[in-house]
Amino acid sequence: MNYNHSNQNRNSRNRQPQPDVEVEEGQRFPLTIKRLGINGEGIGYYKHKTVFIPGALPDEVVVAEVTRIHARYLDAKIHKIRTKSPNRVEPRDAYAGNVGGFELEHLAYPAQLQFKRDVVVQSLEKYHPRGYMDYELRPTIGMEDPYAYRNKAQFQIRKIDDKVVAGLYKEGTHEVVDLETCSVQYPLTMTIMRAVVKMLQDLDVPIYDEEAESGIVKTVVIRVAVSTQQAQLVFVTNSQKLPKKRELLERIEAELPDVVSVMQNVNPGKTSLIWGEETKPLAGKTYIEEYLNKLRFNLSARAFLQLNPFMTEQLYAEGLKGLNLTADDNVIDAYSGVGTIGLSIASSAKEVRGMDTIAESVDDANQNAKQNGIQNAHYVAGKAEDVIPQWLALGWEPTALIVDPPRTGLDDTLLETILTTRPEKFVYISCNPSTMAQDLVKLTEVYNVDYIQSVDMMPQTARCEAVVRMHLR
C-alpha cells in the first residue's frame, strides 16, 4: 500500500519562510485543525502561519488561545472546541493533558494506528531517502486492548505540603504530578508504587528537594516481569545513604511478596539523568526473570527491555520475518541489550554475534544464552563501529544485520561501517521514525527498502516503532 503523495506539497509549503503575523499572547481566534504533527499535537494555520495546539484533532474547529509566539510558528491551547472530531474520545486519565505519555488518549485507537503510519510518512517526506515515494508502508499492527501494558514505572518522588508524591513532570516544568492511578501501566507496577510511597511517608524517609538540592530519595523505578510476576524495585538516591533502610526493607518483604529484587542506584546532585553510575543490591536477587518466545531472560536494573511485553514478541517476529534467515547466515545483533532479539532468532541462523555499550547488559545477554542452552550466540561489550571491524579482520563474514538503536538513531561511524560491510540482509527496528528516515538517506545509497511495518508498542502516546526491511541493491 503506497501512501498518497499529496502530503509532499503540504510539507513543502511548511518549509517555506513563515509570514509575519500581528498576534499577541493570549489572543484567541477560530482555527481548523488540518492534521497531527509527529508529537501528536494538532496543526492548523492562522493567516498562513503554522499553529501547534496540543489536544486538538484533525477536522476539528477550535477557538485557539496563543500561549507563545515564535518566528516561524505559534504555540496555542484549546480555549473551546466548536466542532468535535468523530474520533475524539474521553481520556481514562484525568491528567492526560498535563504529563507526557498520554498525548493521544483522547484519540480513538483505530485513528491512533493510522496516525502512527502517517508519522512514518511525515518523516520520509522531511528527509527524502532514495525512492521513498514508492516504499510499501504497511498498516500499523496494534493491540487488542491498548491499556495496562507498561511493565516499568519510573516516577519522580517529591514532597508537596508534607505529603510524599510519586509521578511524572508536568509538561515543560519540573513540577511533579502525583499519579495515583495510571491506565497505561501494568497494574502491579502501580500497586507496588503506591505501597512504597506510603512506606516513605510513614517512615519519614528524607525526600529529595530539587531547589534546595537536599534530601535522599529522588526516583522510584519498578519493573515487573509479566510472565513470572516478579518485580524489581530500585530507589534512586541523592547519596550513598538511605535512612530507615532496615525498616523499609522489612516492610517491603512483609507487604510486597512480588518484589524479589530491591536495589539502590546512587545519582547525586541536580541532573536531567535518572540513573547514576553505581547500582547496589539491598535485598533479594539482583535481577528478575522474564520469558519471551519461550526463552528465559534475566533482567538487571539497568538492562533495556521493551516497555510493552504484550507486543514485544510481535515486534521480534516482524524482525525475524524481515531477515528471512537460513541456517548459513551469520547475524550481527547491534544494540543488543540483554540479547532478547538475537537469542530469539538464533535458532534460525548459523551464528549470532552482538554488542552493547552497557557491560551489565552484555553479561546478562551471555548468561541468558547459557541458561537457554543457546551455543551459537555470543555478546561483547563495546561500540558496534569498533567491534564489527575487529570481527571482519579475524575473517568472520556477516550475511545479515539487525539493529535496534536508541531514539537518536544510528551512530555516524556505525552507519559508515554498515555501508562498508554491506551485509546482504538488513532489518532496522526504529523507535523514532524521524531519525530512521534520516539514517535511510545514507543507507539507501547501497540498500533498497522493501517495506516499512509500523508496530504500536506504546498506545495512547505519539511514539511509533517501525520495522524496515532492506536488501542490497
Side-chain angles (χ1 to χ4, degrees), residues 256-270:
L256 297 170
D258 296 309
V259 175
V260 300
S261 171
V262 185
M263 310 287 287
Q264 180 183 357
N265 176 265
V266 182
N267 188 18
K270 189 182 280 190

Side-chain angles (χ1 to χ4, degrees), residues 72-89:
R72 294 181 171 273
Y73 61 93
L74 303 174
D75 288 329
K77 64 181 180 180
I78 298 173
H79 173 67
K80 186 166 70 175
I81 300 176
R82 288 184 174 174
T83 305
K84 276 189 181 181
S85 164
N87 288 318
R88 179 173 286 278
V89 296

Side-chain angles (χ1 to χ4, degrees), residues 289-319:
E289 298 171 10
E290 180 65 288
Y291 282 84
L292 288 168
N293 294 315
K294 299 180 181 176
L295 300 175
R296 191 180 100 199
F297 293 94
N298 291 351
L299 304 172
S300 55
R302 295 192 62 187
F304 171 77
L305 183 71
Q306 295 284 349
L307 284 170
N308 188 337
F310 306 100
M311 291 295 287
T312 298
E313 289 186 1
Q314 176 92 55
L315 180 71
Y316 293 171
E318 289 298 322

Side-chain angles (χ1 to χ4, degrees), residues 412-423:
D412 287 342
T413 315
L414 176 55
L415 259 174
E416 294 303 325
T417 304
I418 292 169
L419 295 175
T420 304
T421 310
R422 301 189 180 194

Side-chain angles (χ1 to χ4, degrees), residues 121-142:
V121 173
Q122 291 187 51
S123 300
L124 294 172
E125 287 179 339
K126 181 177 181 181
Y127 291 103
H128 295 187
R130 181 172 174 172
Y132 74 98
M133 288 188 290
D134 296 319
Y135 292 174
E136 179 189 351
L137 301 186
R138 298 181 172 179
T140 308
I141 299 169

